[in-house]
Amino acid sequence: LNVWKAKTGIPPKTEGLVSRMALNDNKAGMEGLDRDKINKIIMESSKGSKFYENEVKREQQVNQRIDKMMLQKEQITEQHLKKAQAQVARMVVELEKRRDLTRVIVHVDMDAFYAAVEMRDCPELKDKPMAVGSMSMLSTSNYHARKYGVRAAMPGFIAKKLCPNLVIVPTNFDKYRAVSSEIREIFADYDPNFMPMSLDEAYLDFTEHLEKRQSWPDSLRTHHYRASSDENNELPQETTPDVTDLSPVLFDDSPSSFLCCEDAGSAFEIFGTSVEEAVREMRFRIEQKTLLTASAGIAPNMMLAKVCSDKNKPNGQYRLPSTREAVMEFVCNLPVRKVSGIGKVSEKLLNALGISSCSHLGQKMALLSLLFSETAWHHFLQVSLGLGSAFIPRHEERKSMSTERTFKEMSAAEEQLSLCRELCEDLANDLKKEGLKGKTVTLKLKNVNFEVKTRALTLSYPVATADEIFAVAKDLLKTERDNESPQPLRLRLMGVRISAFVSSDEKQPLQKSIVGFLNPGKAELGESEEKTTLEEPQQSFFQKARAKRLQLQAAAASSRQEDSSGISSPLFLDARNCAASDEPDNDGACGASTSTSDGIGLSCPVCFRRVETADLAVFNRHIDQCLSESSAQKPSQHLEEGDGREAKRAELSAEERSLGSTSAETASSVNGNHSKSSSLVCPICLLTQDSDDLILFNRHVDLCLNQGVLHKLQSETRSPINPPSAPNSKALGERDSPSSPSKKVKGSCITIDHFFR
């Protein structure tokens, strides 16, 4: 390993030094530190800890990747490089054609956000080195602590070794979220569709705002300020600058820029119309509202804007001109680690190839295309050209939303479930603000050995509320706990993520239900109907199925009459056979609804007439006759005779209508739903049913669609195998009595259930 390091100019590995744990001084406020001294303290403080063991393990894995990569490099020939270079050249031409310099993208990053909030609320901390987090992990540190090498994502016990006087303040995310909401209100004034990346940073597109700003009067660009705001903040406050000291790259020299006025004890400032002035105005408003400072970067795309926001930290801004020459010059000497998406692993792999800056990326792009995946080297190529997304993704394009928490070792099941519930509530609040729903719930867990595991479950429906998310996350957590049994699950990090967001069409469907589709004149659900629907009690499928089963059982119990003929219709099961079954799938399989008025009435699913009989053999023969009459008609006659059928329905006797009304009321009482019934119109025969029984209605539609085939099957299956007058035939009541096990009818008779299966 040290041989190829010597060839590439990389110093050999220092004894006991794990490069993954070495100080990363790319953070603002960490310039000019004694890296060797700090790294030595980090190594000595870490040895023997699980954190150190995990970093050593991962370091070895990276070294193995490097060894494998160097072996692949040795096998690459000049011919391979020439071919790869031609491919890279073609890709460069395509990317240059798509370069967009017309947008103005701004990346805003709050300065030491968590620490700044704590110092604002506790002024005695502002002159002390302090950090926010715990002894396990720090979330951020102030600029005093950074002078000692203390930074975010560093274990607190190591930070204490670097800075013994360090004050560690516990996190208070409720307070940070409240401040973040105030900041985002200001962001929305400049870009309503801004893209928050965390509580303290966001991307904004200023292009449209600048177009409107050009015609704004001075009154819209005037903001009052309080002169004593700098007393409550650690960072130096930006006052009215001296115009003679301004760089033309940083500020605009428009006449209205930097005009400060004092009138009768009131101080205010008028900002200009340029992008620099607009961003400075936004930062000014954030400071006046929250007493916190922000830094910003202005560039033609998101990748460059993020790099620029770190140039003049803290409490500053930097603009990269929107020209190709300026972009390429800016990228030329940019360290690869400064670019978002290139972490310590990628940095080490690139350093092994002698690549430390973005200019080196362009020079060795052909080699990178042969050693890295297509996705990786495409990203490296875009970085070397200074290319990035010029359009900020909106909510509809967002892929996921997550929240996670780092903590001390936690092994108690109750504590883990409580934390999981808190994370789900936080995530649900974020989803509610964005108006999002997702189908995939992912649980992220890191144990005390720093092993990260993720478990995910994709649902058939979108979720957004805390209860819905927690129901899934709880099961995923239980599964992981069971896998660790009998040992307890010892965690130090937990996170919950929602992805697979539904589209706007799925969130707001035009067709509410099949009832709304089939009801004439109700294509859309009005506000009044929607309100009524929400107020009425909703029943699940299983509740409706159970109510239907109870209804059929009551009808069967009151109609225990034996069928002397022993005929079983080849197309329908009898109602008592359906009632005897406990399976929801069999509910209403006979296609008949019962009535309990003065007697038992069965509704024919073909003609919708009520047959006043409890004898199912008679009822089945009536259905056969209806099918025969219906299939004998030509299909073209259905629409012509639609009006006649409606008239026929209108001629039903008052007694039949009364029985039908009583049946509907009885079914409604059993179901526990007293909403008024709606009329359903068959889209095939245009016949109206006075009941909202969807099981019966769907069976009728099936019969209409397949009546020709059914009639043919009916005639073909009437064979001597099971004749009506067979001497040994059992009565229908005996064969299918609920008190005795049901038996299958021998022969080739086809039931309606068998046909539709």
Side-chain angles (χ1 to χ4, degrees), residues 176-201:
Y176 308 149
R177 277 190 288 268
V179 178
S180 178
S181 299
E182 296 178 353
I183 297 171
R184 292 181 180 184
E185 291 177 0
I186 297 176
F187 288 164
D189 292 340
Y190 297 88
D191 181 9
N193 299 312
F194 71 92
M195 180 181 178
M197 300 303 296
S198 62
L199 293 179
D200 65 331
E201 66 173 311

Side-chain angles (χ1 to χ4, degrees), residues 546-620:
R546 182 175 180 275
K548 182 67 178 178
R549 184 163 60 250
L550 293 174
Q551 175 189 2
L552 292 174
Q553 287 175 346
S558 60
S559 61
R560 299 182 183 278
Q561 300 181 10
E562 297 183 354
D563 180 13
S564 59
S565 63
I567 296 178
S568 176
S569 171
L571 295 177
F572 287 91
L573 297 174
D574 61 275
R576 283 173 291 179
N577 185 35
C578 295
S581 173
D582 290 333
E583 297 296 331
D585 291 343
N586 292 336
D587 294 338
C590 61
S593 61
T594 61
S595 175
T596 57
S597 180
D598 297 332
I600 299 298
L602 300 176
S603 295
C604 174
V606 181
C607 67
F608 287 113
R609 287 183 177 276
R610 188 159 300 279
V611 182
E612 298 303 323
T613 180
D615 191 338
L616 292 177
V618 177
F619 177 69
N620 286 335

Side-chain angles (χ1 to χ4, degrees), residues 539 543 546-548 550-551 596 661-675 692:
Q539 287 187 309
Q543 290 173 324
R546 182 175 180 275
K548 182 67 178 178
L550 293 174
Q551 175 189 2
T596 57
S661 176
T662 306
S663 174
E665 293 175 1
T666 303
S668 177
S669 176
V670 174
N671 293 340
N673 185 356
H674 301 283
S675 61
D692 59 353

Side-chain angles (χ1 to χ4, degrees), residues 6 8-9 54 63 120 147 151 235 246 337 403 405 523 532 599 604 616 625 647 683 692 706:
T8 56
N54 180 70
N63 290 339
R120 181 197 67 178
K147 297 176 182 177
R151 58 161 296 160
L235 301 173
L246 298 177
R337 187 62 187 276
T403 180
R405 197 82 54 82
T532 304
C604 174
L616 292 177
Q625 183 180 359
D692 59 353
N706 299 279

Side-chain angles (χ1 to χ4, degrees), residues 171-231:
T171 56
N172 187 342
F173 285 98
D174 290 337
K175 179 163 59 175
Y176 308 149
R177 277 190 288 268
V179 178
S180 178
S181 299
E182 296 178 353
I183 297 171
R184 292 181 180 184
E185 291 177 0
I186 297 176
F187 288 164
D189 292 340
Y190 297 88
D191 181 9
N193 299 312
F194 71 92
M195 180 181 178
M197 300 303 296
S198 62
L199 293 179
D200 65 331
E201 66 173 311
Y203 288 98
L204 300 89
D205 190 338
F206 266 54
T207 308
E208 282 74 18
H209 171 77
L210 291 174
E211 293 177 357
K212 300 176 182 177
R213 191 181 184 87
Q214 302 305 314
S215 59
W216 280 7
D218 290 353
S219 59
L220 293 179
R221 294 181 278 105
T222 301
H223 298 276
H224 295 264
Y225 66 90
R226 48 174 175 262
S228 60
S229 61
D230 59 334
E231 298 177 0

Side-chain angles (χ1 to χ4, degrees), residues 224-230 232 267 284-292:
H224 295 264
Y225 66 90
R226 48 174 175 262
S228 60
S229 61
D230 59 334
N232 298 322
F284 174 86
R285 292 177 59 192
I286 292 173
E287 180 183 351
Q288 294 299 310
K289 186 172 185 177
T290 66
L291 299 180
L292 305 175

